[in-house]
Amino acid sequence: AQSVTQPDIHITVSEGASLELRCNYSYGATPYLFWYVQSPGQGLQLLLKYFSGDTLVQGIKGFEAEFKRSQSSFNLRKPSVHWSDAAEYFCAGEGPGTASKLTFGTGTRLQVTL
Amino acid sequence: EAQVTQNPRYLITVTGKKLTVTCSQNMNHEYMSWYRQDPGLGLRQIYYSMNVEVTDKGDVPEGYKVSRKEKRNFPLILESPSPNQTSLYFCASKPGHFTGANVLTFGAGSRLTVL
């Protein structure tokens, strides 16, 4: 079955420190991959997406993610975290084909300490 | 502005009282979908629709109905709500054909509490 796994439920980092959120996927073929962010009480905002091509993807707010086929991973990174980055982050995958659904991981809640 | 609009944004109701959450998009998208979000479970798909009059079950369809009579609208119907349907609901849409930029556009969410 197609699935997306986020191993970390909760992560705490200090402001200014680097961040890496983990995401692993299980699909028969290379999926489309996404990272979304949800601030408290808010909806979902797309940070970045990977469809094909360059395996290092740049997104908004200074985030990037690297697609690693050998590790079935799509980890999200940011070199220096700001207090406003505190939110819940969701990795999601979608199989090729327009009928395929977007499957979400269970989310990682990021806390930023000052 | 291109958007997906859900209503109501917040609702408290009682067990068994039928309710409908409306969803409308102004992007002429063929594909629409409903998700529910629960703590520790992420977002799970309830139903989706590939086009008018074409709907199918997602991962958690029990207790829900949908209809797609018009391209722009995709209402979620809870015929007899129960407390386990207390959740945050999201509607989303995207083009039905791959354009190279197919990304789901999400509504702002509807928080439903069933007492």
Side-chain angles (χ1 to χ4, degrees), chain B residues 33-76:
Chain B
S33 182
W34 277 101
Y35 286 83
R36 61 176 287 174
Q37 182 184 3
D38 302 289
L41 297 177
L43 284 84
R44 295 175 293 168
Q45 189 182 56
I46 303 171
Y47 269 95
Y48 68 96
S49 170
M50 292 295 294
N51 213 325
V52 176
E53 302 292 0
V54 180
T55 64
D56 207 348
K57 297 177 180 178
D59 295 319
V60 288
E62 295 77 20
Y64 304 95
K65 286 176 56 177
V66 293
S67 69
R68 188 87 182 275
K69 292 180 169 52
E70 304 167 284
K71 197 172 188 178
R72 65 182 293 125
N73 296 323
F74 190 45
L76 180 69

Side-chain angles (χ1 to χ4, degrees), chain A residues 6 33 36 103 107:
Chain A
Q6 293 180 251
L33 294 164
Y36 287 86
T103 297

Side-chain angles (χ1 to χ4, degrees), chain A residues 5-72:
Chain A
T5 302
Q6 293 180 251
D8 304 306
I9 297 172
H10 185 243
I11 284 182
T12 300
V13 300
S14 300
E15 188 174 41
S18 64
L19 170 70
E20 182 168 28
L21 301 182
R22 295 185 292 166
C23 173
N24 294 99
Y25 65 87
S26 176
Y27 280 80
T30 300
Y32 306 138
L33 294 164
F34 308 80
W35 275 99
Y36 287 86
V37 61
Q38 185 179 38
S39 298
Q42 302 298 310
L44 294 161
Q45 182 179 23
L46 179 69
L47 286 175
L48 47 80
K49 62 184 184 289
Y50 172 77
F51 284 165
S52 64
D54 194 346
T55 57
L56 186 62
V57 180
Q58 301 298 320
I60 62 171
K61 303 186 177 186
F63 285 93
E64 66 177 27
E66 186 171 11
F67 172 70
K68 292 186 177 180
R69 187 191 308 274
S70 61
Q71 299 178 19
S72 298

